[in-house]
Amino acid sequence: MGAFPDLSLEASKLLLSASLTAAAVFLFLTFFPFAPKGGEPPARKMAQPPKLQGHAESLGAGKAIAVLTSGGDAQGMNAAVRAVVRVGIYLGAKVYFVHEGYQGLVDGGENLKEATWESVSMMLQLGGTVIGSARCQDFRTREGRLKAARNLVKRGITNLCVIGGDGSLTGADTFRAEWSSLLAELVKTGGITAEEAKNSSYLNIVGMVGSIDNDFCGTDMTIGTDSALHRIMEIVDAITTTAQSHQRTFVLEVMGRHCGYLALITALACGADWVFIPESPPEDDWEDHLCRRLTETRVGGSRLNIIIVAEGAIDKQGKPITSDDIKNLVVKRLGYDTRVTILGHVQRGGTPSAFDRILGSRMGVEAVMALLEGTPDTPACVVSLSGNQAVRLPLMECVQVTKDVTTAMNEKRFDDALKLRGRSFQNNWNVYKLLAHIRPPSTKSGYTLAVMNVGAPAAGMNAAVRSTVRIGLIHGHRMLAVHDGFEGLASGMVEEISWERVGGWTALGGSKLGTKRTLPRKYFEEISASISSFGIHGLIIIGGFEAFIGSLELTEGRAKYEELCIPLCVIPATVSNNVPGSDFSIGADTALNTITTTCDRIKQSAAGTKRRVFIIETMGGYCGYLATLAGLAGGADAAYIFEEGFSIRDLQKNVEHLTEKMKTTVKRGLVLRNERCNENYTTDFIYNLYSEEGKGIFDCRKNVLGHMQQGGTPTPFDRNFGTKMGAKAVAWITGKIKECSRHGRIFANTADSACLLGMRKRSLVFQPLSELKEQTDFEHRIPKEQWWLKLRPILKILAKYSIELDTSEKAHLEHVRHKRVSLESNI
């Protein structure tokens, strides 16, 4: 089938190994090469049927899996439950819902119900947990665990998938450790027969961390965290407008228990004046420092102040710092009109973000594989996100490191607590301190940097510009803003830009500097003159494929124009996510969430209509990233992209698949089409084909989403990503200018003086533009290798397409204390 070609052996192995990939920060993912190098462009190569070494459907034969959600709810839990159910059934196992968490496991009866494929339909976009969660004191007792064990044994369930926090996972590990003795006692008391005990001799446990707090060590992002950040940022943006109107100071308290992750990322994403997190309490004179900061901001022309407080914030002595304490301080010392907003459980509510849906889905797939591959000797494991890769880690090792953080804070070893949170947490903290707590020095570097936007607008561009300008000023540089891209640089539309000028830019979509697709080759002479007249020593270009091509042209022009011999850095920013050298581009996450939300609404519009299929066209040029990832996040039945060719026969098979679907209780279908997936099979053609073939069975509607995908407020991921990319780019270009400086002149003509800053497996790396030429399909404006193509088998399985997979490869259990850490260096 064209939307889901037959899987290659390589893709099949990947799906059933620990190397499962997924989206987005986040978020969001493992980056594997897909296409072969050289020869025919990978876009047109059809995947070949796998050489099977086993049938996936037999992996779960005769086995049963129970899935439960426990503890506090988190958006994305339903996506994980859906994936566990569908992949479990796909692999031949029985899957049971456990309603109301551990309480349902203890009470049994109707709380344990066998799940069907249709029973998890329409769950993907729902927040909370559909199967319920509850605090359970009974399970803490041996008597309660005896009841739970009997309920599982009577149904032949020997595989338990627990989605919850560290407390829930610790309880699962205790349950597993006691399993043999629980069975022996049940046999002795007549609760179960000896035969039943023999058939259920061991229990496999796999955990997935569902928590908005992101406080579980061993995973970089827990299910629900990204969605919670979305809720927080929506409120912060709304509060900002009223704060500006009345010149107010707002103190916002966010959740997180004893973890400051939500507070820290919120502060980065909204440019807060101050943030209080438990891992790094403020200095003893913080009251004076805070008041100075707020005063400086107001004097600089700002009409508002934002202070973010984590609910577990403390001072150096371990005394809580409350929102009311801060409000009273500001009112008493400064007399500012100050309000406190405690966000509370609104952070847990609402629709899950695209990232959390994809994260939950891929974690669910990996959890099922871990359960079905488990043996009596396999320790209870937790499926987690390491870098951007799904891995399995010993559950209790992760729990222990999580407890070590609490111990370090209790013992006032705050530096150790920060380190235990991980390299990414430390980097976020360091960038925030640079932007919020350091002001431009009085002594200047003598260097001038220019920043510009090129190509189509993308949400998050302004956050990258703000970070670039402010970090540049902190380095002592003179910062220039170039308006309207290369065309503006050629015509001299350049102005000096100040610290205050970029205040509040993180929340703004589009491009404040203005951006155009014009390439520089025909303007070399004028651009050279502008570089010379404005004394530009380094250039930071934020944009999409045009930014990449235009920068390549500038490096080619160095041979003729000496003024072009300055260091330059490209920061990828495009909704299409098609820039070579980076697995993510600024703006792609915002576009993906826009598409996902729109698809939710479109599907909801058919709530009262039976049997309807929606054909949705997404942007992306020849790149199928948005269509594929939105397909995963929206539960699409098919996603047509350029990278995987398809024929009329494939389209017909997809129609037949939807026809069969309409015979079930699920009466809605969703088909996504990338705008340039095929020159002849247009959106209108596919719509007409589906309408004709579906007569009497289903009707069709089509939507072309268009430029709404480029607009909107940036997501927390794009704001944070843009901020960190800008900071990193300035640090690099500063070093490169010094390296290329000779007798007061800058001369940079080496390959490594013109680089693209890209994200690779969560590492920010600089790659010479000349090297990236070999990795680029210039005709179709896409990289030759695209990691996200490996996600398409998951999309196919969850849409109930019948495929066979090679299951010969097994995932390996890693150890959290020896786990690979992020290569991203401190800024």
Side-chain angles (χ1 to χ4, degrees):
M1 282 163 279
F4 299 104
D6 291 331
L7 298 175
S8 66
L9 178 59
E10 183 186 14
S12 304
K13 287 181 177 180
L14 182 75
L15 181 62
L16 295 178
S17 74
S19 302
L20 280 170
T21 56
V25 17
F26 183 179
L27 20 329
F28 321 49
L29 309 162
T30 305
F31 311 119
F32 290 98
F34 179 77
K37 294 182 179 179
E40 184 183 355
R44 311 315 300 157
K45 289 198 173 183
M46 298 293 290
Q48 298 300 313
K51 298 176 182 177
L52 296 176
Q53 297 184 22
H55 294 280
E57 288 79 358
S58 64
L59 189 62
K63 297 180 181 179
I65 300 169
V67 57
L68 65 86
T69 53
S70 176
D73 64 305
Q75 308 97 317
M77 280 183 165
N78 290 324
V81 170
R82 172 180 176 268
V84 169
V85 170
R86 290 195 166 178
V87 175
I89 293 173
Y90 163 79
L91 293 174
K94 285 187 175 183
V95 185
Y96 289 84
F97 292 133
V98 180
H99 292 276
E100 312 307 332
Y102 283 120
Q103 193 64 55
L105 202 60
V106 173
D107 295 342
E110 288 298 306
N111 288 306
L112 273 75
K113 292 182 181 177
E114 186 171 355
T116 64
W117 194 276
E118 290 80 17
S119 65
V120 293
S121 292
M122 302 306 293
M123 281 177 62
L124 200 55
Q125 68 269 33
L126 300 178
T129 165
V130 169
I131 60 176
S133 180
R135 307 288 180 184
C136 180
Q137 293 299 321
D138 292 342
F139 194 75
R140 296 175 182 270
T141 67
R142 183 171 176 83
E143 183 182 355
R145 293 193 290 275
L146 276 168
K147 292 178 181 178
R150 183 178 183 277
N151 289 328
L152 291 180
V153 170
K154 287 296 183 181
R155 290 167 177 78
I157 300 170
T158 56
N159 299 282
L160 183 61
C161 179
V162 178
I163 308 169
D166 56 347
S168 303
L169 300 182
T170 301
D173 189 70
T174 302
F175 191 39
R176 185 182 190 275
E178 292 181 351
W179 184 255
S180 295
S181 65
L182 291 172
L183 262 55
E185 187 172 338
L186 285 169
V187 171
K188 186 176 180 180
T189 58
I192 60 174
T193 66
E195 182 67 19
E196 287 172 330
K198 181 181 178 182
N199 293 335
S200 304
S201 58
Y202 67 92
L203 178 69
N204 286 324
I205 295 284
V206 171
M208 284 183 272
V209 189
S211 167
I212 68 168
D213 303 329
N214 203 32
D215 59 349
F216 193 81
C217 294
T219 186
D220 296 321
M221 188 71 87
T222 57
I223 296 170
T225 303
D226 187 66
S227 299
L229 286 169
H230 275 251
R231 296 296 88 74
I232 294 169
M233 290 314 306
E234 288 167 7
I235 294 164
V236 171
D237 289 346
I239 279 176
T240 297
T241 58
T242 184
Q244 286 175 329
S245 300
H246 296 276
Q247 296 193 62
R248 281 180 176 150
T249 295
F250 266 91
V251 181
L252 284 87
E253 182 179 304
V254 301
M255 281 183 162
R257 291 195 299 177
H258 303 295
C259 178
Y261 184 86
L262 290 179
L264 175 56
I265 300 303
T266 299
L268 261 179
C270 73
D273 297 284
W274 199 282
V275 62
F276 293 89
I277 62 172
E279 293 87 350
S280 185
E283 298 301 324
D284 293 335
D285 61 346
W286 66 268
E287 294 93 343
D288 296 334
H289 192 179
L290 172 61
C291 291
R292 280 198 307 273
R293 169 58 39 75
L294 300 183
T295 303
E296 287 173 6
T297 306
R298 290 292 176 95
V299 171
S302 176
R303 293 178 57 86
L304 79 157
N305 298 112
I306 299 290
I307 300 169
I308 308 296
V309 187
E311 63 180 344
I314 54 176
D315 62 18
K316 290 283 188 183
Q317 286 68 49
K319 179 185 174 184
I321 298 175
T322 68
S323 303
D324 285 333
D325 291 338
I326 298 164
K327 174 189 173 181
N328 294 335
L329 171 69
V330 175
V331 171
K332 182 179 179 181
R333 294 266 193 104
L334 303 176
Y336 291 169
D337 185 3
T338 306
R339 298 286 190 273
V340 170
T341 300
I342 299 175
L343 302 189
H345 283 74
V346 69
Q347 296 159 88
R348 291 192 186 279
T351 301
S353 67
F355 176 85
D356 275 327
R357 300 183 196 197
I358 295 165
L359 178 64
S361 297
R362 63 188 276 254
M363 291 300 174
V365 174
E366 183 61 28
V368 171
M369 296 310 305
L371 283 170
L372 298 184
E373 292 170 1
T375 68
D377 300 323
T378 305
C381 74
V382 58
V383 177
S384 72
L385 190 68
S386 176
N388 294 296
Q389 184 174 1
V391 298
R392 305 172 191 176
L393 301 169
L395 190 154
M396 290 315 295
E397 282 189 21
C398 295
V399 170
Q400 185 56 53
V401 177
T402 303
K403 290 179 178 177
D404 289 345
V405 178
T406 304
T407 301
M409 288 195 289
N410 290 338
E411 295 175 356
K412 299 181 176 57
R413 294 183 287 110
F414 298 111
D415 287 343
D416 290 341
L418 267 176
K419 291 175 183 175
L420 287 166
R421 284 288 184 219
R423 183 69 62 83
S424 181
F425 191 100
Q426 293 177 73
N427 286 336
N428 285 322
W429 181 236
N430 290 336
V431 173
Y432 174 77
K433 286 192 296 183
L434 269 178
L435 290 170
H437 292 264
I438 296 177
R439 285 295 180 265
S442 55
T443 55
K444 302 301 180 183
S445 67
Y447 299 129
T448 298
L449 298 188
V451 59
M452 62 195 296
N453 294 155
V454 174
M461 274 183 165
N462 293 322
V465 172
R466 171 186 176 270
S467 175
T468 299
V469 169
R470 290 196 166 181
I471 296 296
L473 293 171
I474 287 169
H475 279 278
H477 305 325
R478 174 171 167 256
M479 298 301 298
L480 300 179
V482 180
H483 296 275
D484 294 341
F486 290 118
E487 195 174 314
L489 182 59
S491 60
M493 296 175 63
V494 182
E495 64 172 335
E496 189 166 349
I497 190 164
S498 66
W499 182 280
E500 290 76 19
R501 174 79 178 278
V502 294
W505 279 25
T506 52
L508 302 178
S511 168
K512 289 283 287 181
L513 296 183
T515 180
K516 290 189 175 181
R517 296 178 182 271
T518 310
L519 294 176
R521 189 181 299 277
K522 61 182 179 181
Y523 297 113
F524 277 169
E525 194 165 320
E526 293 88 343
I527 287 173
S528 298
S530 289
I531 289 174
S532 179
S533 63
F534 288 101
I536 297 172
H537 300 113
L539 186 60
I540 294 177
I541 303 169
I542 303 167
F545 205 82
E546 289 87 359
F548 170 64
I549 297 176
S551 300
L552 273 174
E553 290 184 2
L554 288 181
T555 60
E556 292 166 4
R558 285 173 168 179
K560 186 176 180 182
Y561 297 92
E562 188 177 320
E563 293 84 356
L564 300 181
C565 295
I566 59 173
L568 63 90
C569 179
V570 179
I571 297 177
T574 169
V575 301
S576 302
N577 199 36
N578 64 333
V579 179
S582 187
D583 300 301
F584 286 108
S585 297
I586 297 167
D589 185 65
T590 302
L592 178 59
N593 277 278
T594 299
I595 297 167
T596 303
T597 302
T598 305
C599 287
D600 288 347
R601 292 175 179 173
I602 288 171
K603 287 198 297 183
Q604 191 180 51
S605 72
T609 306
K610 297 297 183 184
R611 300 189 295 273
R612 178 164 288 174
V613 175
F614 294 96
I615 316 293
I616 311 295
E617 181 184 302
T618 66
M619 292 180 85
Y622 287 100
C623 181
Y625 174 84
L626 288 178
T628 297
L629 272 292
L632 267 174
D637 296 281
Y640 299 109
I641 64 171
F642 171 77
E643 289 87 349
E644 290 184 358
F646 56 96
S647 67
I648 191 67
R649 291 183 297 277
D650 299 315
L651 290 168
Q652 181 63 35
K653 288 176 183 177
N654 293 146
V655 173
E656 292 168 358
H657 179 84
L658 279 165
T659 300
E660 290 301 309
K661 180 181 179 179
M662 295 301 168
K663 295 177 183 178
T664 70
T665 58
V666 185
K667 305 297 184 183
R668 277 170 279 185
L670 178 66
V671 175
L672 298 178
R673 178 190 176 274
N674 171 246
E675 61 182 348
R676 291 193 175 180
C677 65
N678 190 289
E679 184 179 354
N680 297 309
Y681 299 143
T682 63
T683 300
D684 285 339
F685 178 92
I686 292 175
Y687 165 72
N688 291 333
L689 174 68
Y690 272 66
S691 297
E692 179 64 28
E693 296 297 318
K695 277 184 178 177
I697 303 167
F698 59 81
D699 62 354
C700 290
R701 295 290 186 275
K702 67 176 177 180
N703 291 82
V704 177
L705 301 186
H707 285 78
M708 66 178 291
Q709 297 160 84
Q710 287 182 340
T713 302
T715 60
F717 176 85
D718 279 330
R719 299 184 197 198
N720 187 24
F721 190 35
T723 298
K724 292 169 76 172
M725 293 283 269
K728 191 82 170 177
V730 172
W732 176 84
I733 210 163
T734 299
K736 195 58 66 175
I737 288 173
K738 293 176 181 177
E739 182 184 313
C740 300
S741 180
R742 295 290 185 274
H743 308 296
R745 293 180 67 249
I746 308 298
F747 187 79
N749 65 347
T750 57
D752 65 355
S753 64
C755 286
L756 180 139
L757 173 56
M759 181 183 249
R760 296 283 200 181
K761 295 185 178 179
R762 199 171 128 243
S763 301
L764 297 181
V765 294
F766 292 92
Q767 302 141 100
L769 295 171
S770 56
E771 293 181 7
L772 294 176
K773 288 171 68 174
E774 298 301 316
Q775 303 174 25
T776 307
D777 175 359
F778 285 96
E779 180 185 354
H780 300 107
R781 297 162 57 90
I782 55 175
K784 290 180 180 177
E785 298 179 353
Q786 301 187 86
W787 62 271
W788 51 265
L789 285 165
K790 294 294 187 179
L791 299 180
R792 291 181 64 80
I794 301 176
L795 178 58
K796 182 173 184 178
I797 288 175
L798 294 178
K800 206 178 181 179
Y801 281 82
S802 179
I803 57 174
E804 293 179 320
L805 298 174
D806 173 23
T807 59
S808 61
E809 279 196 7
K810 305 295 182 186
H812 298 288
L813 194 70
E814 298 183 13
H815 292 279
V816 66
R817 294 185 183 277
H818 303 111
K819 185 169 67 71
R820 173 179 52 81
V821 297
S822 166
L823 299 177
E824 184 182 330
S825 60
N826 288 321
I827 296 172

